[in-house]
Amino acid sequence: MPIRVSQRPTQRQIAAQVGVSVTTVSRILNPDEPHPERWASQETIESIRKAAHTLGYRRNSLAVSLRTSRSQTVGVFLPSIGDYTLAAIFAGIDEVAREYGIMALTASTLDAPGLRSDRTLKMLDHLVDGIIFADAHLGEQYLSGAEAQRVPLVLVHRRHEEHVSVTADDVAAGRLAAEHLISLGRTRLAVIVGRRFMSTGVDRATGFIQAAEEAGLEKPVVYDHGFTVQAGRDAALAMLGRDNVPDGLFGMHDLCTLGATSVLRQHGYATGEDIAAVGSYDSPVAWACDLTSIGMGLHNMGRRSLELLLDRLGGKEITSETLPVSLTVRASSDPSLPRGDLTWGTIPGATNGTNHN
């Protein structure tokens, strides 16, 4: 026997139960109506509300969105959903969404253009008011096509030269890492970057290289291996194959930095002594493993991205924002600082899965 799904209660049922018109019920139950007493007596208002509660009535948000052209919902595209970095950004977005009484719908695109295109259409089918993209690719034209279709959007974490974004000052982050290593007397520098379409890695590597060259050092060796623990391990194995192993290392993610130092430690290079290491994002893993790291203000980055999108939806002019970064020094670069109980190479909660930043 087929299962019957109960129909949701309607305003027409409430009107029939109370003995008033559907229009009156609609006006009384409209949450944007500040003075319902204009349309009915207090007794009738209470009767309508009591009937709505008894029947389990809920406003049909889809019908409201069709009528008002606003769904009070925004889409958020993340390249992945399992990374601390992106989770912290979304936490900031979701915090603002709760404050404004709207919903933030999240989807992962895996940095695959075809998947993002398909999911963008599905988001628009859900009548989202706007979209936040955390997966922008440098030089791509897709986002311009989306804006041409009147899709209000804001970028977060990664920048694109043609669109409003909220990012950390990634160039400054790279410079800060290099200047710190140079101040420690490190002269053979290396940097582990991600894929070249990510502005995060490109900009941090640019700042890192600039600071090294301005200090009169040779250009740092760039390892284009990615952001994961395994990427760091692969980069370290490549370092070991060189005549001179770097004595100063900067990674585009805390995990890839720790992946690299774990391999180097296994080959006799003491972190903080033989090689000074700096990571990015100042994640809980960095705190646990005494890793010097660059803080990027991820939570605030997420908050500002949705606040800017809401400004755009409200008709305001918006411009890109670049948030300041900060350096927290720990034992991975300064061996005089105390270490925790963990040994290098033990990375709590780390995986070797795909990482997108």
Side-chain angles (χ1 to χ4, degrees):
M1 179 181 294
I3 298 174
R4 292 180 59 86
V5 178
S6 300
Q7 292 184 342
R8 63 188 297 164
T10 66
Q11 292 184 358
R12 187 172 299 279
Q13 289 175 285
I14 298 171
Q17 182 170 315
V18 178
V20 296
S21 69
V22 175
T23 301
T24 299
V25 172
S26 176
R27 287 168 171 169
I28 300 307
L29 296 182
N30 180 4
D32 296 324
E33 172 54 72
H35 301 292
E37 66 277 3
R38 293 189 302 170
W39 311 110
S41 67
Q42 190 60 42
E43 180 180 359
T44 300
I45 292 172
E46 292 176 1
S47 296
I48 290 172
R49 290 173 176 171
K50 182 178 179 180
H53 178 75
T54 301
L55 291 171
Y57 171 80
R58 294 182 60 202
R59 188 172 63 147
N60 189 327
S61 297
L62 178 59
V64 173
S65 66
L66 290 172
R67 186 173 66 252
T68 64
S69 298
R70 291 291 293 273
S71 67
Q72 298 301 306
T73 304
V74 297
V76 182
F77 284 133
L78 305 175
S80 69
I81 58 175
D83 181 75
Y84 161 80
T85 303
L86 299 166
I89 291 172
F90 182 72
I93 293 172
D94 191 54
E95 184 175 85
V96 174
R98 294 195 307 271
E99 291 171 2
Y100 282 83
I102 64 178
M103 284 291 295
L105 303 180
T106 309
S108 172
T109 65
L110 305 178
D111 266 321
L115 180 59
R116 179 174 55 176
S117 178
D118 178 66
R119 292 200 156 184
T120 299
L121 292 176
K122 285 182 170 59
M123 278 283 190
L124 295 177
D125 286 343
H126 283 78
L127 303 178
V128 294
D129 295 327
I131 299 177
I132 297 173
F133 290 93
D135 61 349
H137 292 196
L138 289 171
E140 70 176 347
Q141 298 303 310
Y142 174 79
L143 295 172
S144 296
E147 283 202 325
Q149 297 181 52
R150 300 181 181 274
V151 179
L153 62 88
V154 168
L155 311 186
V156 67
H157 191 39
R158 300 183 195 167
R159 65 172 178 81
H160 188 286
E161 54 274 12
E162 298 178 4
H163 304 280
V164 172
S165 62
V166 183
T167 63
D169 192 338
D170 290 306
V171 174
R175 295 188 66 89
L176 194 58
E179 290 166 357
H180 172 63
L181 294 172
I182 294 167
S183 72
L184 299 171
R186 308 294 175 162
T187 58
R188 303 186 308 278
L189 305 185
V191 56
I192 304 173
V193 301
R195 286 176 282 180
R196 297 294 179 153
F197 60 72
M198 301 176 183
S199 65
T200 47
V202 170
D203 290 347
R204 285 175 221 163
T206 296
F208 190 80
I209 292 169
Q210 287 176 348
E213 292 181 336
E214 289 170 9
L217 301 181
E218 291 187 5
K219 183 177 179 178
V221 181
V222 178
Y223 294 91
D224 192 1
H225 286 73
F227 291 90
T228 64
V229 172
Q230 188 59 51
R233 293 178 64 85
D234 292 342
L237 291 172
M239 294 175 199
L240 292 167
R242 298 178 60 87
D243 292 335
N244 290 314
V245 174
D247 61 3
L249 170 66
F250 177 43
M252 296 300 115
H253 195 294
D254 292 332
L255 292 183
C256 72
T257 308
L258 290 169
T261 57
S262 68
V263 169
L264 294 171
R265 179 184 61 80
Q266 292 164 7
H267 286 78
Y269 292 88
T271 307
E273 297 172 359
D274 300 315
I275 183 166
V278 179
S280 297
Y281 300 121
D282 201 21
S283 66
V285 169
W287 316 340
C289 294
D290 303 313
L291 177 65
T292 296
S293 188
I294 308 288
M296 305 287 184
L298 300 173
H299 187 272
N300 190 42
M301 192 185 298
R303 284 192 59 90
R304 289 299 301 144
S305 67
L306 181 49
E307 288 170 346
L308 285 185
L309 180 59
L310 294 176
D311 283 345
R312 167 165 279 180
L313 292 171
K316 297 180 181 178
E317 290 291 329
I318 61 173
T319 58
S320 293
E321 295 185 6
T322 303
L323 306 183
V325 297
S326 59
L327 174 71
T328 299
V329 179
R330 300 187 179 94
S332 71
S333 64
D334 187 346
S336 68
L337 296 176
R339 292 184 183 274
D341 295 332
L342 294 173
T343 58
W344 285 98
T346 304
I347 307 171
T351 66
N352 290 339
T354 303
N355 191 284
H356 306 258
N357 287 278

